Amino acid sequence: MRISFLCLLCAALAAAPAAPALAQVAPPPAAPAAAGELPALPLPPDTSFTVHSALAKVKKQFPGSTIARPAVPAGVRVALSQPYCTRGAHTLLADVCRPAKKRRGGYPAVVFVHGGGWGSGHRQQHLPMAQQLAGRGYVCVLPEYRLATEARYPAAVLDVKAAIRWARAHAKTYNIDTSRVAVWGFSAGGQLAALVATTPGLPALTEAAAPGAPTTRVQALVDVDGTLAFTHPESGEGDDSKRLSAATLWLGAPRTAQPALWQQAGALSHVGAGAPPTLFLNSSVARMHAGRDDFMRQLTAFGIYHEVHTFADAPHVFPLLTPWFQPTLDYTAAFLARVFH
């Protein structure tokens, strides 16, 4: 299969060797780490977070909830497992959902970033949402990214940005309007989406690109229960008292050891005049959107459109399940129609 110049660029710039893709045989377990010590990479894939595990945790409190599996709208085409970048031995894949009917000028695009604590989860968790949104006139790209079991921060950030570049580079193939690209993320994916949206040119979080390469800048952000700040009074990330936290494993150091790194990883540290219009969709779990109100105050100061909708009493995994899936879709579609009019 021929790989585009973007993929070759990504391969050349990859800083760390990659583990096999999830579909391949898992790597051997790393040597045990001492108490409080970060384990060596790569680690076996972490499959702890799935849509089914999310439902199982929610069922006791919300017995009527189910996994959202609406019928695929008529006129939607789905292309699975499209290679978009190569990192060492790992070819990163993306799924694309798009309207079958061609349109002059193309359709707006939405890049979906899945959750799972930076170390688990799968891109196809949001395939139902992407299919429904494609039915409303959007090209939806669902990329995988290197998880914390394979590569630490900022690898996942660079991968999402590479997926945005790839989508723009393949605008003709998928009928994308490159001037209207949004990034949508849930949980850890929301944190990544917000960081990507606020750092399009930050050298520490942006790979060098050949002259004329597509930009990673996005024109809209949808943050679904993703933290905006790690070093913030509202943040619940970084508690290593019982075991190493998901954030510590991903960032590669405890918060007390690398406070500047932890601050850099929060989108709140990067909000500026170039930040895109933003939609916040939140559960009732306050720590999952740490820094949101401060983020919104900065958007207001810069005159940037934003809105927030909170699902009272909803669990953190609300966008994956009924009855919250449909209003999540409706809020997303209404926001995108407003900013991409």
Side-chain angles (χ1 to χ4, degrees), residues 38 43 86 95 97 133 167 219-220 228 239 271 273 308:
L38 286 166
L43 296 169
T86 300
D95 303 322
C97 305
L133 205 54
Q219 286 69 51
L228 284 305
D239 181 1
V271 184
V308 59

Side-chain angles (χ1 to χ4, degrees), residues 117-170:
W118 305 283
S120 188
H122 194 275
R123 66 185 189 276
Q124 291 185 350
Q125 289 168 358
H126 300 301
L127 191 58
M129 184 73 68
Q131 291 168 340
Q132 296 304 307
L133 205 54
R136 300 192 186 196
Y138 296 89
V139 178
C140 298
V141 180
L142 300 92
E144 67 172 322
Y145 56 86
R146 287 170 292 171
L147 300 172
T149 53
E150 178 178 348
R152 296 192 172 102
Y153 173 88
V157 183
L158 301 181
D159 293 345
V160 175
K161 289 186 175 183
I164 292 170
R165 278 195 170 126
W166 176 85
R168 282 194 165 103
H170 291 77

